Amino acid sequence: VIKKNLLVANWKMNLGLGQSRELTLGLVELAGGLKNTEIWVAPSATSIAAVCTAAKGSAIKCGAQNVHPAKSGAFTGEISIPMLEELGATFGIVGHSERRHQFGESNQLVANRAIGTLKSGFFTILCIGEKLDERESGATNSVLKEQLDPVLSDLSKEMHERLVIAYEPVWAIGTGKVATPTEVSDTHAFISSYYREKSKFECCPILYGGSVTPDNYASIISIDAVSGALVGGASLTLASMKALAEISDR
Ligand code: 13P
C-alpha cells in the first residue's frame, strides 16, 4: 500500500545510458532526504538495468514505460515482467497517451497490460486522460470510464493495492498548458468516486500529469485527491526534480 506522495519521472525517449546513470545517482541522494515523498523513475528500456543498479539499496523505485502481460513469446519489440524483474524493476507504466494515440493502443490492450502487470506483483501506473475535443464536448468523464472499466471490473484486493492511476489530460502533455486546479480537482474526484463504485475499494493514489513544473506544482499537490505527479519534461534534470521534491515534501 502506497502512503507517501509519489513523484514519478517518465523520461520517455530521452537520456542515454551515461546521462540516466548520472541523474539517478543525483536522485538517490535527493530521495535519501525526503520524508513524505517517494521517487519512481521510468527510463527508456535501454537504461533500465543501469538505473536499477544505480538505485539499488535506495528508496527509489525503477520501472518500465510499457509492459507486456505475457511471460515470453513472439511479441517483437515488447518486454515482459520476468525480464524486468531480473533487472530489479518493480513497476510499469501502461496506457500512456503517447502509446494510445501515437501507437494505436486500445482500451482493451491497455487493460490487458495493466491486469497482467498487476497480477505479476508489479506496481502499475495506469494512465488515463481525454483529448482536447473530448473535454470541449463534455465527454471527459465518459472517456475516462471507458478507459477504467476493463481494469476495474475485475480487480482483486492485491491488484488494487498495487495500482496507481495517472490522470493526464492529453492536451496538457508536453504543451505547457496545465489543467486548472478546478479541472484537476473535479476530474480526480470523479475518478475516485467511479473507482469506488466499480471496484468496491477506496480509490488508489491518483497522480496528475501534464506540463507539471516547479512553478505550478504547489497548486496541484495541495489538491485533496492528488497523490503526486507523473512528470515528463521537468523530470529530465536534477534541478527541477529537486524543486518538485521539495514542494511535494513540504
Ligand atoms: P510533460 O510533463 O512533459 O507534459 O509530460 C507529461 C507526461 O506525459 C508524463 O507521463
Side-chain angles (χ1 to χ4, degrees), residues 8 10 12 93 96-98 127 168 172-176 209-212 230-234:
V8 184
N10 175 10
K12 307 190 179 182
I93 297 173
H96 191 279
S97 86
E98 286 144 23
C127 302
E168 299 204 300
I173 296 177
T175 57
S211 298
V212 167
L230 181 55
V231 188

Side-chain angles (χ1 to χ4, degrees), residues 56-112:
K56 206 168 179 180
S58 79
I60 292 182
K61 281 188 175 48
C62 175
Q65 295 174 12
N66 205 2
V67 182
H68 195 280
K71 285 196 166 59
S72 63
F75 304 104
T76 301
E78 295 282 327
I79 305 175
S80 73
I81 301 268
M83 292 169 178
L84 291 167
E85 266 174 343
E86 258 191 313
L87 305 180
T90 53
F91 78 92
I93 297 173
V94 299
H96 191 279
S97 86
E98 286 144 23
R99 298 305 320 169
R100 293 177 187 269
H101 302 305
Q102 292 184 39
F103 301 98
E105 296 201 5
S106 67
N107 289 340
Q108 191 55 56
L109 171 59
V110 169
N112 293 345

